[in-house]
Amino acid sequence: MAFEGFPPLIADQLHYLLNHSPDSIKIENVWSGNKINPKILDRFTLVIPYCLETIKWDVIYNSEYAFDPPDFVFGPDDEDFMPCTSTITSDDDDHISSLKKALSEWDNEDSTRLLALIQGLRDQYVAYQRRRVGQVDDDRVKFEISTVLTRKGIEMQMASGVDKPEEVKFAVPLVMDMNINKMVVGCPWKHQQKIYLQVVYPILRKFESTASAPRLRLVSSSELKALFSVEDVKLPPWMDGMCLAEYLPHLEETLERQIQEAVSAIDLRRSFIEALTIFLGRPLEANPTFCRQATFLTASGQFTFMVHFFFSTQFPKQQPTLMLQSCQHLNQSSVPVKSNLLSEYPWSPRWEVGRMAERLCDFLTDEAVNFKKYCNEVVLQH
């Protein structure tokens, strides 16, 4: 994003923050607190990922006294979050020291300082939420905390509302021993790809005798969908009396296997695209990293058209979806005529890629006749 309107030193800190933060932090809005020149921007809202949701903090610089670190205004649900007070337990010493270090080493000319300050505050916020959850009067939640806190990177949060019962949310990072980025050749991802299990525990009311099963949902970083979709993963059932420490190993074993299969599927898609070149020639374009799309230029007699291939992460269990696009016909909006998406044609995931390509191209030979007829009809209509 552009940082017009910010003083150069604040703009440098913002640029460094947004480009180097391990979390995908965003700016929601900006405004000015400068009474002399209101065109100078020195305040903004940060949207910070936390526990698979987001928290919003207002960052308040004073452009008239730019040497000082900014002030922060936390969300309305976090009135008790006071990171600079001394009422902190010994368990939080590391988080306190990182925040104190960021404050004591503040230098408005050092572009890295805002990020260090945000990280120190976020570490404090993690500890603050853990204390809140630890105070919940629910034996199951307390037991779950005791069994999973040794896992690195767990975040938790209290959630409640006027019309909603109290809940405790856990965000549990999974398959942390797998570096998914390094498994993909030519990986374009800037951030390390991660998969989390969101676990939501309803707080047991006094009149309830049996705790209901937690709500479970897999969540991943959005970029991972190019390789692997967690929506395709069938979660193991949660058995009565089960706890997270029992549930997680089986889930992680399943995920590791499916991620490895997804990486192997890249080579299968690439081999299939290469097999198509025997019948369609070199592709006009193809996604080289994940091999999720490819476009070929071909002809049927004098009729020239393009074939777009779209591959799911479930290839070859799911066949590619095709779309034909004429190079000679325009619709009334002067846009090249295209077919509907095509996915009904002879296919078996058990075939070798050469046979898959051959059978599909046989289908295209017949479909080209139908598509040409359709294109002529579209042109005649206007």
Side-chain angles (χ1 to χ4, degrees):
M1 78 173 273
F3 301 103
E4 292 87 353
F6 285 100
L9 295 180
I10 297 178
D12 289 346
Q13 293 179 13
L14 266 177
H15 183 271
Y16 188 89
L17 170 71
L18 298 181
N19 285 280
H20 293 86
S21 172
D23 304 299
S24 299
I25 295 176
K26 298 179 181 178
I27 293 181
E28 188 172 73
N29 52 57
V30 299
W31 69 97
S32 174
N34 192 305
K35 297 178 181 178
I36 299 173
N37 187 350
K39 291 184 179 180
I40 296 178
L41 303 175
D42 58 359
R43 303 175 181 203
F44 48 89
T45 299
L46 290 181
V47 182
I48 303 170
Y50 178 74
C51 204
L52 303 179
E53 298 185 5
T54 57
I55 52 177
K56 295 181 181 181
W57 293 349
D58 290 340
V59 184
I60 312 295
Y61 280 89
N62 187 338
S63 57
E64 299 175 47
Y65 302 95
F67 294 100
D68 296 330
D71 292 325
F72 288 82
V73 178
F74 305 111
D77 295 331
D78 296 318
E79 294 178 352
D80 297 331
F81 178 45
M82 294 178 282
C84 295
T85 63
S86 58
T87 56
I88 304 295
T89 64
S90 58
D91 293 338
D92 302 327
D93 285 346
D94 290 341
H95 300 143
I96 288 292
S97 61
S98 68
L99 177 59
K100 283 185 175 179
K101 187 171 187 244
L103 287 169
S104 64
E105 295 180 354
W106 179 262
D107 180 353
N108 67 313
E109 295 184 359
D110 184 346
S111 61
T112 69
R113 290 296 85 200
L114 178 60
L115 173 57
L117 185 54
I118 296 294
Q119 287 178 322
L121 286 169
R122 194 184 186 284
D123 288 344
Q124 278 270 66
Y125 188 78
V126 171
Y128 158 74
Q129 286 290 352
R130 283 191 177 184
R131 289 196 304 276
R132 288 190 66 196
V133 171
Q135 294 166 359
V136 170
D137 186 17
D138 187 304
D139 291 338
R140 177 177 64 167
V141 169
K142 290 181 178 180
F143 175 73
E144 292 287 14
I145 293 173
S146 69
T147 62
V148 300
L149 267 186
T150 55
R151 292 179 66 99
K152 185 179 177 182
I154 285 185
E155 294 179 350
M156 55 190 72
Q157 186 176 35
M158 282 292 301
S160 61
V162 177
D163 299 320
K164 295 193 305 182
E166 278 193 331
E167 296 177 330
V168 169
K169 295 182 179 181
F170 284 58
V172 185
L174 302 173
V175 293
M176 295 185 68
D177 293 335
M178 295 184 79
N179 189 327
I180 301 176
N181 292 43
K182 289 186 177 180
M183 297 172 69
V184 178
V185 177
C187 170
W189 296 321
K190 176 181 173 183
H191 296 290
Q192 186 68 37
Q193 297 304 298
K194 299 176 181 178
I195 301 175
Y196 296 88
L197 178 67
Q198 184 184 66
V199 188
V200 181
Y201 291 101
I203 300 302
L204 190 65
R205 296 183 178 90
K206 297 298 183 183
F207 58 84
E208 295 174 324
S209 58
T210 305
S212 58
R215 301 197 304 275
L216 305 173
R217 181 170 69 102
L218 283 177
V219 180
S220 73
S221 37
S222 59
E223 294 173 316
L224 186 61
K225 292 181 180 179
L227 170 70
F228 173 76
S229 175
V230 295
E231 296 171 1
D232 295 329
V233 178
K234 184 177 180 180
L235 287 171
W238 182 279
M239 310 303 292
D240 289 342
M242 181 175 276
C243 69
L244 266 180
E246 297 172 296
Y247 185 81
L248 294 175
H250 177 53
L251 173 60
E252 290 190 301
E253 182 181 329
T254 300
L255 281 173
E256 288 176 1
R257 183 180 69 253
Q258 294 191 13
I259 290 170
Q260 289 167 348
E261 290 174 354
V263 173
S264 299
I266 296 175
D267 291 332
L268 285 173
R269 294 193 290 269
R270 182 177 289 111
S271 297
F272 177 73
I273 292 171
E274 291 171 352
L276 287 172
T277 63
I278 299 173
F279 306 96
L280 301 176
R282 291 174 60 87
L284 288 178
E285 59 181 3
N287 173 261
T289 305
F290 301 105
C291 300
R292 295 287 304 276
Q293 296 182 21
T295 297
F296 290 83
L297 179 67
T298 188
S300 175
Q302 299 299 311
F303 177 46
T304 305
F305 61 99
M306 289 187 287
V307 186
H308 303 285
F309 291 81
F310 306 99
F311 299 88
S312 82
T313 57
Q314 296 299 304
F315 179 91
K317 293 178 183 177
Q318 288 183 7
Q319 64 260 52
T321 300
L322 316 179
M323 184 175 68
L324 312 186
Q325 176 180 326
S326 175
C327 298
Q328 301 167 212
H329 302 80
L330 302 176
N331 62 20
Q332 59 185 1
S333 301
S334 297
V335 175
V337 177
K338 298 178 182 179
S339 72
N340 294 323
L341 293 176
L342 305 171
S343 58
E344 298 296 329
Y345 53 83
W347 183 267
S348 171
R350 292 182 294 275
W351 292 341
E352 293 187 353
V353 292
R355 189 179 181 197
M356 291 177 181
E358 181 181 7
R359 294 294 299 272
L360 193 152
C361 289
D362 288 343
F363 166 78
L364 282 175
T365 300
D366 297 331
E367 189 61 29
V369 177
N370 298 328
F371 181 54
K372 180 181 179 181
K373 181 180 178 182
Y374 169 74
C375 290
N376 290 333
E377 291 172 352
V378 170
V379 171
L380 289 175
Q381 289 175 2
H382 66 90

